Amino acid sequence: MDLSAIDPVVLIASLMVAATPILLAAIGELVVEKSGVLNLGVEGMMITGAICGFAIAVETGSPTFGFLAAMVGGAALSLIFGVLTQVLMSNQVATGLALTLFGLGLSALIGQGYVGLKPPATGQLDLGPLSDIPVLGRILFSHDLVVYVSLALIVGVWAGLKYTRAGLILRAVGENHEAAHALGYKVVRIRLMAIAFGGACAGLGGAYLSLIRVPQWTEGMTAGAGWIALAIVVFASWKPVRVLLGAYLFGGVTVLQLNLQAAGLAVPVEVLSMSPYLITILVLVIMSADRGRAALSAPASLGKSFHASS
Amino acid sequence: MIRLEKRPSPSRLWTVATPVLAVALTMIAGGLLFAALGKDPVAAIRTIFWDPLFNEQFAAYSRPQLLVKAGPLILIAIGLSLGFRAGIWNIGAEGQYIIGALSGAGVGLAFYPMEAWFIFPLMVLAGGLGGWAWAMIPAILKTRFRTNEILVSLLLVYVAEQILASMSLGLMRNPEGGGFPGSRNLQQYPSAANTELFAGTGVHWGVVAGFVAVILAYVLLNRHMLGFQIRLAGQSPRAARFAGVNPNALVVFCLGVSGALAGMAGLFEVSGPAGQVSIDFNQGYGFTAIIVAFLGRLHPVGILLAGLLMALTYIGGELAQFMLGVPAAAIQAFQGMLLFFLLGVDVLSNYRVRLGKREVA
C-alpha cells in the first residue's frame, strides 16, 4: 500500500467537491424541517434533479441551464409532496417514501437516452491570482461556482433563520403551527414555499453529482446520498453551520475511502464502500443518545399535519 | 370554495373505495404517461392489467408468475404493515431480505452436496433469523439510543448490498462456475430447492408462507392483545402508554417480525425463482412491499389483494416491455404514482368535502 500517494491538500479540495451534493440537499431539507415538515423524498428529488440537469445540459450544451433545470425539476417534484401533505393532509412519512420511489422510477425513465453520454464541462471559477496561493489556493479558490453557492447558502440560511422576519415566521410555523395560524400566518403557504426551496436545493445537489462530480448519468446514481442528507440534518441538530460540518465530515470519509481503495489498502473494497453508511449510522446513534438535546432541538411540529379547523 | 371538514372517524365506505379509486386514477395518469412516451395508452394499460390474466397466448405463462411474484411481496408487506400500524417505520426491508437470503443460502451451500430432508427447513429458519438479526440493529438502536429507525434501517440496505456483492464475488461464489460471479444454483440442488409445489400454479413455499402470514396477521390484529396494542400505539401513543403498553417491546416485536418475514421472503426467492445468490438477485421487492402495505390499507386481506395487483403490474410491465417497448422504468414510475394517488385520495376517508362559501378560519 502506498499512502504517500494521498496528498492532503488534494484530499481536502476533493472532499469539498464530494460533500457539495449532500450539503446542498441537507441545507434544503433543514429549511423544510424547520417549517415543521419531514420530507423523506430527498433521494427522489436529488435523482430527479440529477437527470433533469443532465438532460438539459446535454441538450442545450450549457451546464448553467442544466443546473437551473435541476432546481426547477426538484422543486416541481417536491410540490407533489407539498400538495399531498399540506392540502390533502396525507401522512408525511409515507408520502416522502412515495416521492423517493417515484423519483427513482421517473429519473430512470427520463434518463434512458442519456446513458453513457458526457455532459458539457463546467469550468472552474476564475479567481485569478488567488488560485495560485500555495495550499490555500488549491483548497479554497479553485472550485466551480456551485461549491461557492453551497457555502453561500449555508450562510444565507443561517442568517435568514436567525436575523430576518421571514426566518422567524418560518420557525414559528415549525415550532407551533396552531399558534402561527392564530397569528394570521398562512401555515400551508409558508410550508409549501419551504418544501419547494428544499426541492430546488436537492435538485441542484443531484445535478452537481451528474454534471460535475461523476460526471455522467447512471440509474440510481445518488446511491443513498439523499438519505445521508436527512441523517446530516439530525446530526446537525437543525443548525445550518453544523450541516456544513456534517457534510464535510461525510465527504471526508467518502474521499478517504476512495483514496484508500486506490492505494490498495488490505481491506476488502466492500468494507470501504459501506463505511460512509456505517459512519453515518454511528454518528446518528451518538447524536440521538444524548436524550435531552435531540428532543429540544427538533422543531416541535415536525411531521405533524396541519388542518385549519374553524 | 371547496372546504374540508374532519370526520369524527374515518369513513368505512371510503376506506374500501379509495384504493379502487386510486388504481383507476393511476390507470388514467399512467395512460397519459404512456401516451407521452409515444405508446398507445389503451393498448399499454390493457397489456399490463388484462393480457397477463386473460390473453390466451400469455396467460399460461403469466398466471403462475402472478403468485411467484406476489408471494414475497405479500410476505414482506404483512410484516411491514404491523410496524406501520404502530408508527414504527421499517423501510429497510430490502436489506433484511438480502441478509435473510444470504444466511439461508449460506446454510444450504454449507451442506452441499449432502441430500437430506432437513436442509430446506433449516435454510428457511436461517433466512428468518438473518432478516430478524438485521432488523434488530435499528430496533436496538431505537430502544437504547432513540435513534431514528427510518434512517438506520434504510442506510443498512446499502450496507447489505455491499455484503451481497462481497458474498457473490467471494465467499459464496460457485467454485465450479468458471470464475463467474454468483453462487451455485440452488435449483439444481434438490434438498435446498424451493420448488413449485403444484405443477403449473406457481405456488412455492414462499407463496404458502405468504398466505399463512396473512391469516396469522389477521388473527393477531383482531383477536389478540398484542394486535390491539399495536393498533392503539399507532392511533394514540399517549393512550397506549397509559394503558401500559411497553413501547420498546413493541418496537422490538414489530421490527423483528417484519425483518424475519422479509428474510424468509429473501430465502424463498434465492432458492426458488432467482435460483442463486448473485449481485442483483434482489428485485427491489423490499421497497415495492411498502407500496403493497399501503395499498392494502395495512389490513391483511387488503395486502393479499394489493400484493396480487402489484405482482400483476410487474408481469404486465414485462409484457408491455416485450410487446410495446414500454421501458422498464415506466413501470417503476407507475407504481410510485399509484402510491401518490392512494395517499392523495385518502383525504376522502378522513375528511368530508364541503362546497360552500369560505369563512374566515
Side-chain angles (χ1 to χ4, degrees):
Chain A
M1 188 183 67
D2 184 17
L3 277 179
S4 62
I6 302 174
D7 177 359
V9 174
V10 176
L11 191 74
I12 294 175
S14 52
L15 86 78
M16 289 175 73
V17 172
T20 299
I22 301 159
L23 180 61
L24 283 164
I27 195 69
E29 178 67 13
L30 181 132
V31 172
V32 179
E33 292 192 13
K34 272 285 181 191
S35 80
V37 179
L38 180 66
N39 185 354
L40 291 180
V42 184
E43 178 85 2
M45 301 185 299
M46 271 186 102
I47 193 116
T48 306
I51 188 55
C52 286
F54 191 88
I56 298 297
V58 166
E59 298 299 338
T60 61
S62 151
T64 314
F65 281 126
F67 283 117
L68 288 175
M71 289 167 74
V72 173
L77 198 67
S78 72
L79 281 178
I80 300 180
F81 170 88
V83 169
L84 285 175
T85 56
Q86 301 308 307
V87 181
L88 300 177
M89 285 157 294
S90 64
N91 179 306
Q92 294 184 4
V93 173
T95 314
L97 288 176
L99 193 68
T100 291
L101 295 174
F102 178 70
L104 288 171
L106 182 71
S107 63
L109 185 62
I110 303 174
Q112 285 179 88
Y114 294 95
V115 178
L117 294 183
K118 243 181 98 67
T122 315
Q124 285 182 7
L125 206 58
D126 187 16
L127 291 167
L130 281 177
S131 315
D132 300 331
I133 306 171
V135 183
L136 268 187
R138 179 74 188 87
I139 293 175
L140 289 180
F141 301 113
S142 57
H143 291 290
D144 47 84
L145 183 63
V146 184
V147 172
Y148 301 112
V149 168
S150 71
L151 293 173
L153 262 177
I154 294 281
V155 178
V157 168
W158 169 75
L161 284 175
K162 197 165 168 135
Y163 296 113
T164 68
R165 186 175 169 78
L168 186 65
I169 294 171
L170 185 89
R171 282 187 288 142
V173 168
E175 291 298 337
N176 188 338
H177 50 216
E178 302 289 350
H181 175 68
L183 286 170
Y185 296 123
K186 306 284 185 199
V187 174
V188 169
R189 195 177 304 164
I190 291 164
R191 285 188 169 164
L192 282 174
M193 287 193 288
I195 290 168
F197 175 80
C201 286
L204 186 62
Y208 190 82
L209 266 179
S210 63
L211 288 177
I212 297 179
R213 170 133 163 79
V214 177
Q216 60 171 348
W217 163 254
T218 44
E219 250 179 60
M221 67 182 299
T222 44
W227 296 102
I228 287 167
L230 278 161
I232 283 176
V233 176
V234 178
F235 162 77
S237 327
W238 292 269
K239 291 190 173 68
V241 181
R242 290 200 201 163
V243 166
L244 183 75
L245 188 74
Y248 279 13
L249 184 78
F250 177 80
V253 174
T254 311
V255 169
L256 194 65
Q257 63 96 357
L258 286 175
N259 274 302
L260 289 176
Q261 281 187 22
L265 186 70
V267 170
V269 175
E270 288 86 5
V271 173
L272 288 173
S273 303
M274 67 174 77
S275 61
Y277 306 107
L278 288 176
I279 288 174
T280 308
I281 292 175
L282 191 71
V283 165
L284 269 179
V285 170
I286 294 170
M287 289 311 293
S288 48
D290 190 350
R291 282 174 174 246
R293 201 173 52 190
L296 271 181
S297 43
S301 294
L302 186 60
K304 291 182 189 148
S305 289
F306 173 73
H307 179 232
S309 48
S310 40
Chain B
M1 267 311 280
I2 301 167
R3 206 153 47 84
L4 293 172
E5 195 177 277
K6 195 157 174 69
R7 293 177 195 270
S9 63
S11 150
R12 288 192 145 233
L13 171 70
W14 279 113
T15 307
V16 179
T18 43
V20 180
L21 181 62
V23 170
L25 285 171
T26 313
M27 283 190 188
I28 296 169
L32 292 175
L33 175 76
F34 295 132
L37 289 168
K39 314 286 175 202
D40 177 6
V42 179
I45 296 293
R46 202 191 57 228
T47 311
I48 294 173
F49 288 98
W50 183 263
D51 284 356
L53 294 180
F54 304 110
N55 186 313
E56 284 168 17
Q57 196 185 342
F58 308 115
Y61 167 77
S62 340
R63 275 190 206 153
Q65 278 294 309
L66 192 67
L67 287 176
V68 169
K69 293 222 170 11
L73 288 174
I74 293 171
L75 196 55
I76 302 172
I78 286 285
L80 293 179
S81 70
L82 296 180
F84 290 176
R85 275 193 177 228
I88 297 159
W89 301 93
N90 173 14
I91 60 169
E94 184 76 9
Q96 293 137 22
Y97 170 89
I98 291 173
I99 297 297
L102 288 177
S103 322
V107 168
L109 292 170
F111 278 110
Y112 184 86
M114 192 174 112
E115 296 287 352
W117 62 269
F118 58 81
I119 294 179
F120 188 68
L122 216 55
M123 286 166 69
V124 176
L125 202 64
L129 272 176
W132 175 83
W134 202 245
M136 274 304 109
I137 301 173
I140 289 170
L141 294 181
K142 168 98 179 170
T143 50
R144 294 274 302 174
F145 305 108
R146 310 213 302 176
T147 313
N148 185 317
E149 80 280 12
I150 301 176
L151 292 171
V152 175
S153 64
L154 193 280
L155 287 170
L156 283 173
V157 173
Y158 294 95
V159 178
E161 279 176 352
Q162 293 296 334
I163 295 177
L164 173 63
S166 157
M167 286 294 171
S168 58
L169 295 172
L171 200 59
M172 290 193 189
R173 181 155 70 183
N174 185 354
E176 290 151 22
F180 282 102
S183 73
R184 282 180 200 280
N185 195 324
L186 292 168
Q187 281 284 32
Q188 291 159 7
Y189 174 24
S191 288
N194 174 20
T195 44
E196 202 175 21
L197 296 173
F198 308 100
T201 55
V203 175
H204 60 65
W205 283 109
V207 180
V208 176
F211 283 118
V212 172
V214 167
I215 296 166
L216 289 183
Y218 186 84
V219 174
L220 175 77
L221 285 170
N222 292 292
R223 291 283 178 272
H224 197 277
M225 189 61 190
L226 195 59
F228 172 73
Q229 291 187 341
I230 287 173
R231 286 187 287 144
L232 184 63
Q235 282 163 5
S236 175
R238 233 172 104 77
R241 264 207 308 284
F242 286 128
V245 177
N246 179 350
N248 283 349
L250 219 52
V251 168
V252 170
F253 175 79
C254 289
L255 278 168
V257 168
S258 56
L261 291 183
M264 277 190 217
L267 179 271
F268 289 128
E269 187 69 18
V270 83
S271 58
Q276 61 169 0
V277 175
S278 61
I279 295 181
D280 52 0
F281 88 92
N282 57 316
Q283 302 201 10
Y285 283 150
F287 291 115
T288 315
I290 297 173
I291 305 181
V292 171
F294 279 110
L295 187 63
R297 314 252 44 167
L298 308 181
H299 187 283
V301 178
I303 288 172
L304 181 68
L305 299 173
L308 289 170
L309 181 73
M310 209 48 107
L312 185 62
T313 65
Y314 266 114
I315 300 159
E318 278 172 16
L319 199 60
Q321 213 177 323
F322 175 65
M323 298 296 292
L324 305 169
V326 171
I331 301 305
Q332 212 186 338
F334 191 78
Q335 291 173 344
M337 223 150 48
L338 178 58
L339 187 47
F340 274 145
F341 278 115
L342 185 75
L343 293 165
V345 293
D346 214 21
V347 73
L348 294 171
S349 42
N350 291 320
Y351 293 86
R352 243 185 222 106
V353 179
R354 292 261 188 233
L355 296 168
K357 208 164 177 242
R358 194 190 189 126
E359 307 157 44
V360 178

